[in-house]
Amino acid sequence: GENVEQHPSTLSVQEGDSAVIKCTYSDSASNYFPWYKQELGKRPQLIIDIRSNVGEKKDQRIAVTLNKTAKHFSLHITETQPEDSAVYFCAARSNDYKLSFGAGTTVTVRA
Amino acid sequence: DTAVSQTPKYLVTQMGNDKSIKCEQNLGHDTMYWYKQDSKKFLKIMFSYNNKELIINETVPNRFSPKSPDKAHLNLHINSLELGDSAVYFCASSQARTGTQYFGPGTRLTVL
């Protein structure tokens, strides 16, 4: 099955700086890569996703890049704000339709 | 509100008991899921139903039995609860197996 690795496990940034989270996946057939944000005690919420026919996607301060050859994808958050503090999960979906999640990155934005 | 909802939000019970968690979505989706999030925050798929048919059944103890009475509901029944079952259980739904998954608020299960 699919195996997703996510780094770093924790990330502390100064408000206004950028944050980057990287994920790798094992199954070359994976074709859909969502990112979820989970605040403390809340549900995971989709913040951005990318499909395998696209290399980059941007939504305001959030962007995701995908390198199919290297089997890795990254989340970029620019101009971080305190409300960006949360746990972020990457995921990959392969032909079996299962969504395999990374272990999560706890992002702390220091004011 | 259009959403995925779960009941109860919290569930505290003794080892050996049987309990159920209910999930409902009014998004008109045809696919629903159960995930388990352990104490390390790791999210793992347990089951998925598409149009009331079981399509994903991960390596889960057979004490766990999902039931989908219709496309809008997916329940999870757990028999003979064990300490290791303590976790947050999330329901999710999507339109088709390839759609974006939307999560419910979670049910925090504590087994004493």
Side-chain angles (χ1 to χ4, degrees):
Chain A
E2 176 64 277
N3 181 42
V4 178
E5 293 195 358
Q6 183 172 346
H7 299 280
S9 57
T10 61
L11 181 58
S12 179
V13 296
Q14 190 69 36
E15 185 178 355
D17 287 350
S18 295
V20 180
I21 304 170
K22 298 183 179 183
C23 290
T24 60
Y25 60 99
S26 60
D27 188 346
S28 55
S30 287
N31 54 20
Y32 173 65
F33 307 91
W35 286 86
Y36 284 84
K37 175 183 180 183
Q38 186 177 26
E39 296 176 358
L40 191 61
K42 305 282 188 187
R43 74 188 79 192
Q45 292 199 291
L46 181 80
I47 53 171
I48 196 166
D49 57 9
I50 192 166
R51 296 185 188 271
S52 58
N53 57 349
V54 175
E56 185 174 354
K57 185 175 177 181
K58 193 172 178 182
D59 182 4
Q60 299 183 343
R61 296 185 298 108
I62 292 171
V64 58
T65 57
L66 171 64
N67 183 328
K68 282 195 298 183
T69 305
K71 290 190 281 188
H72 66 70
F73 56 114
S74 301
L75 178 72
H76 304 252
I77 308 173
T78 58
E79 300 170 30
T80 52
Q81 300 167 5
E83 53 264 38
D84 294 330
S85 295
V87 180
Y88 291 80
F89 293 95
C90 64
R93 186 175 64 209
S94 189
N95 290 341
D96 59 5
Y97 301 108
K98 291 178 200 170
L99 207 51
S100 298
F101 284 83
T105 297
T106 300
V107 174
T108 303
V109 180
R110 306 186 306 271
Chain B
D1 279 348
T2 53
V4 182
S5 58
Q6 291 177 232
T7 53
K9 191 167 173 60
Y10 299 98
L11 189 50
V12 181
T13 188
Q14 299 286 334
M15 265 197 314
N17 283 351
D18 304 338
K19 289 293 177 187
S20 291
I21 307 172
K22 293 180 186 291
C23 178
E24 177 181 0
Q25 54 92 7
N26 62 5
L27 298 166
H29 292 166
D30 61 3
T31 308
M32 297 184 73
Y33 311 81
W34 278 114
Y35 285 88
K36 179 179 180 181
Q37 187 171 46
D38 62 24
S39 57
K40 293 192 171 128
K41 299 286 189 190
F42 191 67
L43 267 167
K44 180 130 173 61
I45 182 76
M46 299 172 70
F47 302 104
S48 177
Y49 274 76
N50 174 255
N51 283 315
K52 302 196 299 175
E53 180 188 345
L54 183 65
I55 57 170
I56 295 175
N57 186 355
E58 285 296 272
T59 309
V60 176
N62 57 15
R63 298 181 294 104
F64 289 78
S65 52
K67 273 199 174 58
S68 182
D70 55 56
K71 285 195 299 184
H73 296 84
L74 180 61
N75 304 322
L76 183 65
H77 188 76
I78 316 170
N79 288 329
S80 304
L81 278 155
E82 300 177 357
L83 292 177
D85 298 332
S86 295
V88 180
Y89 291 85
F90 285 100
C91 176
S93 74
S94 67
Q95 182 51 37
R97 305 179 191 195
T98 55
T100 299
Q101 292 187 24
Y102 295 90
F103 283 78
T107 295
R108 182 174 293 278
L109 171 65
T110 303
V111 182
L112 303 175

